[in-house]
Amino acid sequence: MAKKRITDLAYFGGMKLFENPLHVGAPNLPDRQRLMQQIDSLLTSRRLTNRGPMVRELEQRIAEFTGVKHCIAMCNGTIALEIAIRALGMQGEVIIPSMTFIATAHALQWQEITPVFADIHPQSATLDARKIERLITPRTTGIIGVHLWGRSSDTHGLQAIADKHGLKLLFDAAHAFGVSHEGKMIGGFGDAEVLSFHATKFFNTFEGGAVLTNNDELAEKIRLMQNFGFSGRDNVIYIGTNGKMSEISAAMGLASLESLPRFVEHNRNNYHTYLDRLQNIQGIDVFEYNEKEKNNYQYIVLKIDESKTVLNRDELADLLSAERILARRYFYPGCHRMEPYRSYFPNAGLLLPETERLLDCVLTLPTGTSVSKAEITTICELLHFIVSNGREIKQKIRAWDYPENFTAVTSGGMLSKGEH
Ligand code: T4K
């Protein structure tokens, strides 16, 4: 039901706009029958893991799809990152953005490699190549660029710096499966690229990931590391771990690959609906995709200019959340403001002005195949309503948040807004 008065907002006790929550990251599901067939066949074969036929087929299909020589499927993106980092011989310090999911930093620190946070370019939200050289020390061995929200990093700029200083270059491409950059599919840049196939990603295998590389020697090393260092039966020739993808994950992957065009089409339509319906809202900008490239359109990211919306990003998120629109602040507060990095580098933020600015004003909205055009239209109408009444809502939030407005007080403390 459309909101007519600000007291209709669920935040102030009105009816919630949606019966069921709308999530950022609700999985894109393949054709159910196709998936069931694949699962049936793997159960019949009793081949459940250890690089079975489905994992091998998935690797081959992804290699073909991305035009990269080697695809090594993994149990998740984080382990894929850890293995790629180790196989590349990264040590000491590695330069990464702070504007990323914590896994990028943790994959280094887990191996006692220090992540050094570099600032991003405000337009692309990816590493700003101009800000990197000043961070290089004798201990620096590599750079990890992140193709944030499905937008490519400055691959050329980063490669030039890596070449000049003899550094390894890895890309965290967790968000960028099915994406191209200058006409070339993501997967083939740098020394290697790492994908995540987590349930919340554009393409998922429940949990999963992969390393892509054109380097034969590196691929061989990664394969060994992923399977305890086994080279054939009873022969361990290298230190390794267990990074293998299971057959049921590969089954999900194979079924999902068949549905990929449908995922893109749905996401693309959702993106255009958002773009159309939000274009006239002062202070809300949608991060646009470069439509000359292939995109997966999996991330609808808004930039909120509080000086125009009056309400800040967090207030908007709370107002949406009350209506069951669970927008996310990906990736607030930034790796440098999370432990252990916050304690290790308390002043890291001084070198990250663009990162900090962006972290405080971005908001990611629900999309994916579970979200319909009608639902997006409703979300956009709500945002229109909220922003056009920004000043009044702000005042009411302030009044609402002061204790004297809470009439019901329990022994454990005040009742939350939703309970009024
Ligand atoms: N690098 C980058 C840049 C990444 O973004 C990630 C992962 C990685 C590396 C590491 O890759 P993996 O090791 O994960 O393969 C999630 C995920 O756990 C994480 O995989 C992902 N990035 C990150 C962006 O998001 P949360 O805690 O924000 O997600 P969560 O569980 O709150 O899920 C979001 C919403 O999606 C839920 O509120 C409900 C919905 N949902 C979620 C799941 C898991 C479903 O409807 N069904 C589901 O099965 O971390």
Side-chain angles (χ1 to χ4, degrees):
M1 207 201 345
K3 310 277 173 182
K4 296 202 172 64
R5 299 172 306 252
I6 64 173
T7 46
D8 291 340
L9 290 167
Y11 189 92
F12 300 121
M15 273 254 294
K16 291 181 190 300
L17 210 44
F18 292 98
E19 202 177 318
N20 296 312
L22 289 179
H23 291 289
V24 172
N28 294 329
L29 296 180
D31 181 79
R32 206 170 279 222
Q33 227 183 336
R34 217 33 215 118
L35 175 61
M36 293 310 171
Q37 279 168 0
Q38 301 272 24
I39 294 175
D40 201 44
S41 121
L42 78 88
L43 290 178
T44 305
S45 75
R46 289 184 192 259
R47 183 59 186 249
L48 305 187
T49 188
N50 283 8
R51 220 160 166 265
M54 290 200 183
V55 164
R56 276 182 275 132
E57 187 182 342
L58 183 68
E59 289 182 339
Q60 192 193 331
R61 294 251 186 112
I62 290 175
E64 278 165 17
F65 176 69
T66 53
V68 180
K69 214 164 161 191
H70 304 280
C71 168
I72 303 116
M74 298 270 181
C75 55
N76 62 55
T78 305
I79 297 286
L81 275 170
E82 286 172 17
I83 293 178
I85 287 165
R86 197 170 177 125
L88 281 167
M90 288 181 175
Q91 304 171 7
E93 294 173 3
V94 170
I95 296 169
I96 67 167
S98 172
M99 185 76 178
T100 179
F101 186 59
I102 196 69
T104 321
H106 278 356
L108 289 163
Q109 191 64 50
W110 191 253
Q111 315 187 65
E112 299 187 1
I113 301 168
T114 305
V116 174
F117 300 113
D119 211 2
I120 51 170
H121 194 286
Q123 246 96 54
S124 68
T126 62
L127 274 183
D128 186 339
R130 297 165 308 176
K131 310 263 176 75
I132 288 184
E133 277 191 294
R134 70 180 79 153
L135 300 172
I136 296 175
T137 72
R139 280 171 46 78
T140 310
T141 57
I143 302 170
I144 303 180
V146 178
H147 303 311
L148 194 76
W149 306 323
R151 275 78 166 184
S152 168
S153 306
D154 174 7
T155 53
H156 299 302
L158 297 180
Q159 189 66 65
I161 295 169
D163 290 345
K164 182 171 163 195
H165 296 272
L167 305 176
K168 298 293 183 191
L169 179 60
L170 179 65
F171 287 103
D172 178 336
H175 298 184
F177 184 59
V179 170
S180 72
H181 176 53
E182 296 178 354
K184 179 176 155 183
M185 293 306 278
I186 291 292
F189 294 95
D191 292 294
E193 302 211 50
V194 171
L195 299 168
S196 164
F197 304 145
H198 181 259
T200 54
K201 296 293 183 279
F202 165 65
F203 163 89
N204 88 84
T205 60
F206 304 122
E207 289 272 1
V211 182
L212 299 178
T213 180
N214 285 312
N215 180 327
D216 299 343
E217 212 177 306
L218 183 67
E220 179 56 23
K221 209 167 172 183
I222 289 172
R223 278 204 192 288
L224 285 170
M225 285 185 163
Q226 179 213 34
N227 187 23
F228 314 103
F230 270 105
S231 168
R233 202 172 286 276
D234 304 333
N235 188 25
V236 172
I237 61 166
Y238 213 81
I239 185 165
T241 182
N242 182 355
K244 289 169 286 148
M245 176 182 273
S246 68
E247 285 290 280
I248 198 159
S249 284
M252 179 70 165
L254 288 170
S256 296
L257 273 187
E258 289 174 17
S259 297
L260 222 56
R262 174 170 62 82
F263 296 169
V264 178
E265 187 57 17
H266 192 105
N267 275 359
R268 188 172 174 278
N269 288 337
N270 281 359
Y271 164 66
H272 281 284
T273 306
Y274 272 122
L275 213 53
D276 279 0
R277 308 286 151 99
L278 293 178
Q279 65 181 344
N280 294 326
I281 306 189
Q282 286 276 313
I284 292 190
D285 281 328
V286 180
F287 259 86
E288 294 197 23
Y289 286 93
N290 174 359
E291 301 225 51
K292 290 191 186 120
E293 301 288 354
K294 284 196 163 69
N295 296 295
N296 61 30
Y297 302 98
Q298 179 74 1
Y299 299 89
I300 303 295
V301 183
L302 306 185
K303 214 164 124 183
I304 312 297
D305 179 350
E306 186 186 344
S307 70
K308 294 185 181 142
T309 55
V310 183
L311 294 156
N312 64 36
R313 185 271 312 272
D314 293 348
E315 288 163 339
L316 280 173
D318 287 346
L319 288 159
L320 294 179
S321 168
E323 308 289 348
R324 297 208 177 95
I325 303 159
L326 305 182
R328 299 290 293 258
R329 303 182 295 177
Y330 284 143
F331 287 104
Y332 182 85
C335 297
H336 71 288
R337 295 196 284 202
M338 296 208 230
E339 293 296 355
Y341 316 106
R342 180 171 54 194
S343 298
Y344 290 169
F345 318 111
N347 298 320
L350 294 175
L351 286 176
L352 306 171
E354 297 298 347
T355 303
E356 295 213 328
R357 211 166 289 145
L358 206 60
L359 281 167
D360 288 341
C361 72
V362 286
L363 193 60
T364 304
L365 293 181
T367 187
T369 56
S370 67
V371 183
S372 69
K373 183 173 182 164
E375 286 167 330
I376 292 173
T377 305
T378 306
I379 295 173
C380 295
E381 279 169 4
L382 175 70
L383 279 168
H384 263 285
F385 177 79
I386 289 174
V387 174
S388 18
N389 293 285
R391 209 164 291 280
E392 213 185 326
I393 293 173
K394 183 117 182 168
Q395 274 168 5
K396 194 162 172 62
I397 289 176
R398 289 221 175 114
W400 194 254
D401 281 346
Y402 283 121
E404 56 266 30
N405 288 293
F406 286 87
T407 47
V409 178
T410 64
S411 56
M414 284 173 284
L415 287 175
S416 72
K417 297 174 193 92
E419 290 165 297
H420 280 268

